[in-house]
Amino acid sequence: MSPSSTAPESVAPATSPPSPDAQARLLLLIDVFSETKAAKGIEGRMKLAKLDFLLRYPDRFNTLLAVRRPNVEAGENPWLTGTIEQRMIRYRYGPWDPAYYALLGALTGKGLIEPKHEHAIATYCTTQAGHDVARALAESESWRPVRDRAVLLRRYFNLTGITLKNLIYETFPDIVEADWGTHL
């Protein structure tokens, strides 16, 4: 299937409200990228989507980490059940979740993240309230591994969205070959 400028019919927008777990996962991810003095947050939805892909799919994270940093331990799998709450789809620039707009809107509406727009790029960072919620989540046994994985993402994959997309495409040709709208 050749890419076009429009999404295929099989890519439907999210119809249910954003789940609390998905909001928590994104909040933790954004907070980890917002917590250092030099950090601006996560620059761009493409970067957010690629980082979230590596967070949601631990096997893909382990493979890519082994390629980039062969001697680094991946740590505990944050998803003990091994199931993915909502599968991502193959879209124009790789893995994507149509729920991102609702998730980011919900986090913004609750005052937990603040989107900033610089040079036509949306940057997402946590507010003080968002940081406080993220810290409380990270102290829980069930969310600590998610935060730990997000820290590894910041340490080893704090790259541009395009660079992350290219790494994912180079490492996982099955994603490149998948038709648009195909669940990953």
Side-chain angles (χ1 to χ4, degrees), residues 83-118:
T83 60
I84 297 168
E85 174 197 359
Q86 183 175 345
R87 300 183 66 78
M88 297 179 83
I89 59 167
R90 161 58 159 99
Y91 197 54
R92 186 175 185 180
Y93 298 109
W96 178 256
D97 186 342
Y100 284 135
Y101 297 110
L103 289 166
L104 293 168
L107 292 171
T108 301
K110 292 176 181 178
L112 301 176
I113 66 169
E114 179 181 15
K116 297 179 181 175
H117 298 278
E118 297 177 20

Side-chain angles (χ1 to χ4, degrees), residues 21 57 91 114 150 156:
D21 284 349
Y57 292 79
Y91 197 54
E114 179 181 15
Y156 298 111

Side-chain angles (χ1 to χ4, degrees), residues 30 40 42 45 104-105 107-109 111-118 121-127:
I30 292 168
K40 294 185 199 178
I42 296 181
R45 283 186 299 269
L104 293 168
L107 292 171
T108 301
L112 301 176
I113 66 169
E114 179 181 15
K116 297 179 181 175
H117 298 278
E118 297 177 20
I121 296 175
T123 298
Y124 303 95
C125 60
T126 49
T127 62

Side-chain angles (χ1 to χ4, degrees), residues 17-56:
S19 79
D21 284 349
Q23 291 177 55
R25 184 189 70 247
L26 279 187
L27 180 64
L28 283 167
L29 181 60
I30 292 168
D31 187 61
V32 164
F33 278 79
S34 301
E35 65 186 5
T36 65
K37 289 186 184 206
K40 294 185 199 178
I42 296 181
E43 297 174 311
R45 283 186 299 269
M46 183 189 303
K47 180 174 181 173
L48 176 77
K50 302 320 162 246
L51 291 169
D52 188 40
F53 169 74
L54 293 172
L55 185 58
R56 280 195 214 188

